[in-house]
Amino acid sequence: AQKITQTQPGMFVQEKEAVTLDCTYDTSDQSYGLFWYKQPSSGEMIFLIYQGSYDEQNATEGRYSLNFQKARKSANLVISASQLGDSAMYFCAMRESYGGATNKLIFGTGTLLAVQP
Amino acid sequence: NAGVTQTPKFRVLKTGQSMTLLCAQDMNHEYMYWYRQDPGMGLRLIHYSVGEGTTAKGEVPDGYNVSRLKKQNFLLGLESAAPSQTSVYFCASSYWALRDIDPRNAEAFFGQGTRLTVV
């Protein structure tokens, strides 16, 4: 069954430091997509980064990178040079059967990141 | 450039009342989703749709019904509201992301959420 696990309910990081948010997933499909979203205290969902299961290189978007380890079924988000504005809830998500009829998009329980000055 | 619009943004219901939440998207997306967000539980999928006229159950479908009569709209109904349905509800939409298209199109776009309280 499709499942996303985020084991860190909360994290602290010092401003300008790097931080890794963990995400593991479970799927029996060969084709799937992995996503990270940010939810600030204002509540909106902001897309950060995407990794396809067939992509050989780790995805990067500015200060965000996705450490994709397919054999371990992990898709950790790395935020470099943390900023105060990075304080938010972060969700890992997966879409299975990439392009198929069972194209559900499911989320983990989230990690609340607090960046300290 | 509206994107995904949810109405209403806030609502208070009495137990047993019914209501419909409307989600509208103007991006011609095939897929649409309804989630509920509760503290400590992340976003849980209620129902989703892979195209006009089709719907499917997600992780927590009980107590909810949906309809997708038009491609741009996805309605979530509560026939008899219960306090356990107090939550923040999010709608999202996305393209039918095939492997060979631009992966940036795989992103799901979210509405701003509806805060529902059932008393």
Side-chain angles (χ1 to χ4, degrees), chain A residues 2 31 35 37 39 42-47 50 52 54-55 61 89 91 95 97-110, chain B residues 31 33 35 37 40-43 45 48 50 57-59 90 92 94-99 101 103-112:
Chain A
Q2 192 181 5
S31 296
F35 305 78
Y37 283 83
Q39 186 181 43
S42 52
E44 72 267 31
M45 295 291 287
I46 301 169
F47 168 73
Y50 165 79
Y54 289 105
D55 296 338
E61 288 288 346
M89 182 72 84
F91 291 102
R95 186 155 73 190
S97 296
Y98 196 37
T102 57
N103 200 310
K104 292 188 290 186
L105 176 64
I106 66 163
F107 285 76
T109 53
Chain B
Y31 291 110
Y33 312 86
Y35 296 91
Q37 183 177 16
M41 306 191 77
L43 276 77
L45 182 64
Y48 66 105
V50 301
K57 294 181 180 180
E59 303 166 280
F90 283 96
S94 67
Y95 284 112
W96 178 354
L98 300 177
R99 177 185 172 184
I101 68 168
R104 288 172 294 182
N105 287 337
E107 172 190 351
F109 293 81
F110 281 79
Q112 292 192 315

Coordinates of all heavy atoms in Angstrom, one line a residue, chain A residues 2 31 35 37 39 42-47 50 52 54-55 61 89 91 95 97-110, chain B residues 31 33 35 37 40-43 45 48 50 57-59 90 92 94-99 101 103-112:
Chain A
Q2 N 0.4 2.3 -0.6 CA 1.1 3.5 -0.7 C 1.1 4.2 0.7 O 0.1 4.3 1.3 CB 0.3 4.4 -1.7 CG 1.0 5.7 -2.1 CD 0.0 6.4 -3.1 OE1 -1.1 6.1 -3.3 NE2 0.6 7.5 -3.6
S31 N 6.8 3.4 -11.1 CA 6.7 4.7 -11.5 C 6.0 5.5 -10.5 O 4.8 5.2 -10.1 CB 5.9 4.8 -12.9 OG 6.6 4.2 -13.9
F35 N 7.2 14.6 -3.9 CA 7.1 16.1 -3.8 C 7.3 16.5 -2.3 O 7.1 15.8 -1.4 CB 5.6 16.5 -4.1 CG 5.1 16.0 -5.4 CD1 4.7 14.7 -5.6 CD2 5.0 16.9 -6.5 CE1 4.2 14.3 -6.8 CE2 4.5 16.5 -7.7 CZ 4.1 15.2 -7.8
Y37 N 6.2 20.0 0.0 CA 5.4 21.2 0.1 C 5.7 21.9 1.4 O 6.0 21.3 2.4 CB 3.9 20.9 0.0 CG 3.4 20.7 -1.4 CD1 3.5 19.4 -1.9 CD2 2.8 21.7 -2.1 CE1 3.1 19.1 -3.2 CE2 2.4 21.4 -3.4 CZ 2.5 20.1 -3.9 OH 2.0 19.9 -5.2
Q39 N 4.2 24.7 4.2 CA 3.0 25.3 4.7 C 3.3 26.3 5.8 O 3.5 25.9 7.0 CB 1.9 24.3 5.2 CG 0.6 25.0 5.6 CD -0.4 24.0 6.1 OE1 -0.1 23.1 6.9 NE2 -1.7 24.1 5.6
S42 N 0.5 31.0 7.7 CA -0.7 31.6 7.0 C -1.6 30.5 6.4 O -2.7 30.8 6.0 CB -0.2 32.5 6.0 OG 0.8 31.9 5.1
G43 N -1.0 29.3 6.3 CA -1.9 28.1 5.9 C -1.8 27.7 4.4 O -2.2 26.6 4.1
E44 N -1.2 28.5 3.5 CA -1.3 28.0 2.1 C -0.2 27.0 1.9 O 0.8 26.9 2.6 CB -1.0 29.2 1.2 CG 0.4 29.8 1.2 CD 0.6 30.9 2.1 OE1 -0.1 30.9 3.2 OE2 1.5 31.8 1.9
M45 N -0.4 26.2 0.9 CA 0.5 25.1 0.5 C 1.4 25.6 -0.7 O 0.9 25.9 -1.7 CB -0.3 23.8 0.1 CG -1.1 23.2 1.2 SD -0.1 22.5 2.5 CE 0.4 21.0 1.6
I46 N 2.7 25.5 -0.4 CA 3.6 26.0 -1.4 C 4.5 24.9 -1.9 O 5.2 24.2 -1.1 CB 4.5 27.1 -0.8 CG1 3.7 28.3 -0.3 CG2 5.6 27.6 -1.8 CD1 4.5 29.2 0.6
F47 N 4.5 24.6 -3.2 CA 5.3 23.6 -3.8 C 6.7 24.0 -3.8 O 7.1 25.1 -4.1 CB 4.8 23.3 -5.3 CG 5.7 22.5 -6.1 CD1 5.8 21.1 -5.9 CD2 6.5 23.1 -7.1 CE1 6.6 20.3 -6.6 CE2 7.4 22.3 -7.8 CZ 7.4 20.9 -7.6
Y50 N 10.3 18.6 -6.8 CA 9.7 17.3 -7.3 C 10.9 16.4 -7.7 O 11.9 16.8 -8.3 CB 8.8 17.6 -8.5 CG 8.5 16.4 -9.3 CD1 7.5 15.6 -8.9 CD2 9.1 16.2 -10.5 CE1 7.2 14.4 -9.6 CE2 8.8 15.1 -11.2 CZ 7.9 14.2 -10.8 OH 7.6 13.1 -11.5
G52 N 11.1 12.6 -9.8 CA 10.5 11.4 -10.5 C 11.3 10.2 -10.2 O 12.5 10.2 -10.0
Y54 N 12.2 7.8 -12.0 CA 13.1 7.4 -13.0 C 14.3 8.4 -13.1 O 15.2 8.3 -13.9 CB 12.4 7.3 -14.3 CG 11.6 6.0 -14.4 CD1 10.2 6.1 -14.3 CD2 12.1 4.8 -14.5 CE1 9.4 5.0 -14.3 CE2 11.3 3.6 -14.5 CZ 10.0 3.7 -14.5 OH 9.2 2.6 -14.5
D55 N 14.2 9.5 -12.4 CA 15.2 10.6 -12.5 C 16.5 10.1 -11.8 O 16.4 9.7 -10.6 CB 14.7 11.9 -11.8 CG 13.6 12.5 -12.5 OD1 13.4 12.2 -13.7 OD2 12.8 13.2 -11.9
E61 N 16.3 22.9 -6.4 CA 15.6 24.1 -6.7 C 16.1 25.2 -5.7 O 15.7 25.3 -4.6 CB 14.1 24.0 -6.5 CG 13.4 23.1 -7.5 CD 13.2 23.8 -8.9 OE1 13.5 25.0 -8.9 OE2 12.9 23.1 -9.8
M89 N 5.7 24.4 8.4 CA 5.4 22.9 8.3 C 5.8 22.5 6.9 O 5.5 23.1 5.9 CB 4.0 22.6 8.6 CG 3.6 21.1 8.6 SD 4.3 20.3 10.1 CE 3.0 20.7 11.2
F91 N 5.7 19.2 4.3 CA 5.1 17.9 4.0 C 5.8 17.2 2.8 O 6.1 17.9 1.8 CB 3.6 18.1 3.6 CG 2.8 18.5 4.7 CD1 2.4 19.9 4.9 CD2 2.3 17.6 5.7 CE1 1.6 20.3 5.9 CE2 1.5 18.0 6.7 CZ 1.1 19.4 6.8
R95 N 3.0 10.6 -5.5 CA 1.9 10.2 -6.4 C 2.3 9.0 -7.0 O 3.4 8.9 -7.7 CB 1.6 11.3 -7.4 CG 0.4 11.0 -8.3 CD -0.2 12.2 -8.8 NE 0.6 12.8 -9.9 CZ 0.4 14.0 -10.4 NH1 -0.6 14.7 -10.0 NH2 1.1 14.5 -11.3
S97 N 1.6 5.4 -9.4 CA 1.1 5.1 -10.7 C 1.1 6.3 -11.6 O 0.1 6.7 -12.2 CB -0.4 4.5 -10.6 OG -0.4 3.3 -9.9
Y98 N 2.2 6.8 -11.7 CA 2.5 8.1 -12.4 C 1.8 8.1 -13.8 O 2.3 7.4 -14.7 CB 4.0 8.1 -12.6 CG 4.6 9.4 -13.0 CD1 4.1 10.6 -12.5 CD2 5.7 9.5 -13.8 CE1 4.7 11.8 -12.8 CE2 6.3 10.7 -14.1 CZ 5.8 11.8 -13.6 OH 6.4 13.0 -13.9
G99 N 0.7 8.8 -13.9 CA 0.0 8.9 -15.1 C -1.0 7.8 -15.3 O -1.8 7.8 -16.2
G100 N -1.2 7.0 -14.3 CA -2.1 5.9 -14.4 C -3.5 6.2 -13.8 O -3.7 7.3 -13.2
A101 N -4.4 5.3 -13.8 CA -5.7 5.6 -13.3 C -5.8 5.7 -11.8 O -6.7 6.2 -11.2 CB -6.7 4.5 -13.8
T102 N -4.8 5.1 -11.1 CA -4.9 5.2 -9.6 C -4.0 6.3 -9.1 O -3.2 6.1 -8.2 CB -4.5 3.8 -9.0 OG1 -3.1 3.5 -9.5 CG2 -5.4 2.7 -9.4
N103 N -4.1 7.4 -9.7 CA -3.1 8.5 -9.5 C -3.4 9.3 -8.2 O -3.8 10.5 -8.3 CB -3.1 9.4 -10.7 CG -1.9 10.2 -10.8 OD1 -1.5 10.9 -9.8 ND2 -1.2 10.2 -11.9
K104 N -3.4 8.6 -7.1 CA -3.6 9.3 -5.8 C -2.4 10.1 -5.4 O -1.2 9.7 -5.6 CB -3.9 8.3 -4.7 CG -5.3 7.6 -4.9 CD -5.6 6.8 -3.6 CE -4.7 5.6 -3.5 NZ -5.2 4.7 -2.4
L105 N -2.6 11.2 -4.8 CA -1.5 12.0 -4.2 C -1.7 12.0 -2.7 O -2.6 12.6 -2.2 CB -1.6 13.5 -4.7 CG -0.6 14.5 -4.2 CD1 0.9 14.1 -4.5 CD2 -0.9 15.9 -4.7
I106 N -0.7 11.3 -2.0 CA -0.9 11.2 -0.5 C 0.3 11.9 0.2 O 1.4 12.0 -0.4 CB -1.0 9.8 -0.1 CG1 0.3 9.0 -0.3 CG2 -2.2 9.1 -0.7 CD1 0.4 7.7 0.4
F107 N 0.0 12.3 1.4 CA 1.0 13.1 2.2 C 1.4 12.4 3.5 O 0.7 11.6 4.0 CB 0.3 14.5 2.6 CG 0.2 15.4 1.4 CD1 -0.7 15.3 0.4 CD2 1.1 16.5 1.3 CE1 -0.8 16.1 -0.6 CE2 1.0 17.4 0.2 CZ 0.1 17.2 -0.7
G108 N 2.6 12.8 3.9 CA 3.0 12.4 5.3 C 2.4 13.3 6.3 O 1.6 14.3 6.0
T109 N 2.7 13.1 7.6 CA 2.2 13.9 8.7 C 2.9 15.2 8.9 O 2.4 16.0 9.7 CB 2.2 13.1 10.0 OG1 3.6 12.6 10.2 CG2 1.3 11.9 9.9
G110 N 4.0 15.4 8.2 CA 4.6 16.7 8.3 C 5.7 16.9 9.4 O 5.7 16.1 10.4
Chain B
Y31 N -6.8 16.1 -12.9 CA -7.0 15.6 -11.6 C -7.4 16.6 -10.5 O -6.9 17.7 -10.6 CB -5.7 14.9 -11.1 CG -5.3 13.7 -11.8 CD1 -4.3 13.6 -12.7 CD2 -6.0 12.5 -11.6 CE1 -3.9 12.5 -13.4 CE2 -5.7 11.3 -12.3 CZ -4.7 11.3 -13.2 OH -4.4 10.2 -13.8
Y33 N -8.5 16.9 -6.1 CA -8.4 16.1 -4.9 C -9.1 17.0 -3.8 O -9.0 18.2 -3.8 CB -7.0 15.9 -4.4 CG -6.0 15.4 -5.5 CD1 -5.4 16.3 -6.4 CD2 -5.7 14.0 -5.6 CE1 -4.5 15.8 -7.4 CE2 -4.9 13.6 -6.5 CZ -4.3 14.4 -7.4 OH -3.4 13.9 -8.4
Y35 N -8.8 17.1 0.5 CA -8.1 16.7 1.7 C -8.7 17.3 2.9 O -9.2 18.4 2.8 CB -6.6 17.1 1.6 CG -5.8 16.5 0.5 CD1 -5.7 17.1 -0.7 CD2 -5.1 15.3 0.7 CE1 -4.9 16.5 -1.7 CE2 -4.4 14.7 -0.3 CZ -4.3 15.3 -1.5 OH -3.6 14.8 -2.5
Q37 N -7.1 18.5 6.8 CA -5.9 18.6 7.6 C -6.3 18.8 9.1 O -7.0 19.7 9.4 CB -5.1 19.8 7.1 CG -3.8 19.9 7.9 CD -2.9 21.1 7.4 OE1 -3.4 22.0 6.7 NE2 -1.6 21.1 7.8
G40 N -1.3 17.1 13.7 CA -0.6 15.8 13.9 C -0.9 14.8 12.9 O -0.3 13.7 13.0
M41 N -1.8 15.0 12.0 CA -2.2 13.9 11.0 C -1.9 14.3 9.6 O -2.2 13.5 8.7 CB -3.7 13.6 11.2 CG -4.0 13.2 12.7 SD -5.6 12.5 12.9 CE -5.3 10.9 12.3
G42 N -1.3 15.4 9.4 CA -1.0 15.8 8.0 C -2.2 16.0 7.1 O -3.3 16.4 7.7
L43 N -2.1 15.9 5.9 CA -3.2 16.0 4.9 C -3.7 14.6 4.6 O -2.9 13.7 4.1 CB -2.8 16.7 3.6 CG -2.8 18.2 3.7 CD1 -1.7 18.8 4.5 CD2 -2.9 18.8 2.3
L45 N -6.3 12.2 2.3 CA -7.1 12.3 1.1 C -8.5 11.8 1.4 O -8.7 10.6 1.8 CB -6.4 11.5 0.0 CG -7.1 11.4 -1.3 CD1 -7.1 12.8 -2.0 CD2 -6.3 10.5 -2.3
Y48 N -11.0 11.8 -4.6 CA -10.3 12.4 -5.7 C -11.0 12.1 -7.0 O -11.9 11.2 -7.1 CB -8.8 12.0 -5.7 CG -8.5 10.6 -6.0 CD1 -8.0 10.2 -7.3 CD2 -8.7 9.6 -5.1 CE1 -7.7 8.8 -7.5 CE2 -8.4 8.3 -5.3 CZ -7.9 7.9 -6.5 OH -7.6 6.6 -6.8
V50 N -10.1 11.7 -11.4 CA -9.2 11.7 -12.5 C -9.7 12.2 -13.8 O -9.0 12.2 -14.8 CB -8.6 10.2 -12.7 CG1 -8.0 9.7 -11.4 CG2 -9.7 9.3 -13.2
K57 N -12.6 7.0 -4.0 CA -12.4 7.2 -2.6 C -10.9 7.3 -2.3 O -10.1 6.6 -2.8 CB -13.0 6.0 -1.8 CG -14.5 5.9 -1.9 CD -15.0 4.7 -1.1 CE -16.5 4.6 -1.2 NZ -17.1 3.5 -0.5
G58 N -10.6 8.1 -1.3 CA -9.3 8.2 -0.8 C -9.1 7.5 0.5 O -9.7 6.4 0.7
E59 N -8.4 8.0 1.5 CA -8.0 7.4 2.7 C -9.2 7.5 3.7 O -9.4 6.6 4.6 CB -6.8 8.0 3.3 CG -5.6 8.0 2.4 CD -4.5 8.9 3.0 OE1 -4.6 10.1 2.7 OE2 -3.5 8.4 3.6
F90 N -8.8 21.2 2.2 CA -8.0 21.7 1.1 C -8.4 21.0 -0.2 O -8.6 19.7 -0.2 CB -6.5 21.5 1.2 CG -5.9 22.5 2.2 CD1 -5.7 22.2 3.5 CD2 -5.5 23.8 1.7 CE1 -5.1 23.1 4.4 CE2 -4.9 24.7 2.6 CZ -4.7 24.3 3.9
A92 N -7.2 20.5 -4.3 CA -6.0 20.6 -5.1 C -6.3 20.1 -6.5 O -7.2 19.3 -6.7 CB -4.8 19.8 -4.5
S94 N -4.2 18.9 -10.5 CA -2.9 18.7 -11.2 C -3.2 18.2 -12.5 O -4.3 17.7 -12.8 CB -2.0 17.8 -10.4 OG -2.6 16.5 -10.4
Y95 N -2.2 18.3 -13.4 CA -2.2 17.6 -14.7 C -2.2 16.1 -14.5 O -1.8 15.6 -13.5 CB -1.1 18.1 -15.6 CG -1.2 19.5 -16.1 CD1 -0.3 20.4 -15.7 CD2 -2.2 19.8 -17.1 CE1 -0.5 21.7 -16.2 CE2 -2.3 21.1 -17.6 CZ -1.4 22.0 -17.1 OH -1.5 23.3 -17.6
W96 N -2.6 15.4 -15.6 CA -2.3 14.0 -15.7 C -0.8 13.9 -16.1 O -0.5 14.1 -17.3 CB -3.2 13.4 -16.8 CG -3.0 11.9 -17.0 CD1 -2.0 11.1 -16.5 CD2 -3.8 11.1 -17.8 NE1 -2.1 9.8 -16.9 CE2 -3.2 9.8 -17.7 CE3 -4.9 11.3 -18.6 CZ2 -3.8 8.7 -18.4 CZ3 -5.4 10.2 -19.3 CH2 -4.9 8.9 -19.2
A97 N 0.0 13.7 -15.1 CA 1.5 13.8 -15.4 C 2.0 12.5 -16.0 O 2.2 11.5 -15.3 CB 2.2 14.1 -14.1
L98 N 2.2 12.5 -17.2 CA 2.9 11.3 -17.9 C 4.4 11.5 -17.7 O 4.9 12.5 -17.6 CB 2.5 11.3 -19.4 CG 1.0 11.1 -19.6 CD1 0.8 11.2 -21.1 CD2 0.5 9.9 -19.0
R99 N 5.1 10.4 -17.8 CA 6.5 10.3 -17.6 C 7.3 11.3 -18.5 O 8.2 11.9 -18.1 CB 7.0 8.9 -17.7 CG 8.5 8.8 -17.5 CD 9.0 7.4 -17.8 NE 10.4 7.3 -17.8 CZ 11.1 6.3 -18.1 NH1 10.5 5.2 -18.5 NH2 12.4 6.3 -18.1
I101 N 6.4 14.1 -20.0 CA 6.2 15.6 -20.1 C 7.1 16.3 -19.1 O 7.7 15.7 -18.3 CB 4.7 15.9 -19.8 CG1 4.3 15.7 -18.4 CG2 3.8 15.1 -20.8 CD1 3.0 16.3 -18.0
P103 N 8.4 17.6 -16.0 CA 8.1 17.2 -14.6 C 7.6 18.4 -13.8 O 6.9 18.1 -12.8 CB 9.4 16.6 -14.1 CG 10.5 17.1 -15.0 CD 9.8 17.3 -16.3
R104 N 7.8 19.6 -14.2 CA 7.3 20.7 -13.5 C 5.8 20.7 -13.5 O 5.1 21.3 -12.7 CB 7.8 22.0 -14.0 CG 9.3 22.2 -13.7 CD 9.9 23.5 -14.4 NE 9.9 23.3 -15.8 CZ 10.4 24.2 -16.7 NH1 10.8 25.4 -16.2 NH2 10.4 24.0 -17.9
N105 N 5.2 20.0 -14.5 CA 3.8 20.0 -14.6 C 3.2 18.9 -13.7 O 2.0 18.7 -13.6 CB 3.4 19.7 -16.1 CG 3.5 20.8 -17.0 OD1 3.5 22.0 -16.5 ND2 3.7 20.6 -18.2
A106 N 4.0 18.2 -13.0 CA 3.5 17.2 -12.0 C 3.0 17.8 -10.8 O 2.2 17.2 -10.0 CB 4.6 16.2 -11.7
E107 N 3.3 19.1 -10.5 CA 2.9 19.8 -9.3 C 1.4 19.8 -9.1 O 0.7 20.0 -10.1 CB 3.5 21.2 -9.3 CG 3.0 22.1 -8.2 CD 3.4 23.5 -8.5 OE1 4.2 23.8 -9.4 OE2 3.0 24.4 -7.7
A108 N 1.0 19.6 -7.9 CA -0.4 19.9 -7.5 C -0.6 21.3 -7.0 O 0.3 21.7 -6.2 CB -0.9 18.9 -6.5
F109 N -1.6 22.0 -7.4 CA -1.9 23.3 -7.0 C -3.0 23.3 -6.0 O -4.0 22.6 -6.2 CB -2.3 24.2 -8.2 CG -1.2 24.4 -9.1 CD1 -0.8 23.5 -10.1 CD2 -0.4 25.6 -9.1 CE1 0.2 23.7 -11.0 CE2 0.6 25.8 -10.0 CZ 0.9 24.9 -10.9
F110 N -2.9 24.0 -4.9 CA -3.8 24.0 -3.8 C -4.7 25.3 -3.7 O -4.2 26.4 -4.0 CB -3.1 23.8 -2.5 CG -2.7 22.4 -2.2 CD1 -1.6 21.9 -2.8 CD2 -3.4 21.6 -1.4 CE1 -1.2 20.5 -2.6 CE2 -3.1 20.2 -1.2 CZ -1.9 19.7 -1.8
G111 N -5.9 25.1 -3.2 CA -6.7 26.2 -2.8 C -6.2 26.7 -1.5 O -5.3 26.1 -0.9
Q112 N -6.9 27.8 -1.0 CA -6.4 28.4 0.2 C -7.0 27.8 1.5 O -6.7 28.1 2.6 CB -6.7 29.9 0.2 CG -5.9 30.6 -0.8 CD -6.0 32.1 -0.7 OE1 -7.1 32.7 -0.5 NE2 -4.9 32.8 -0.8

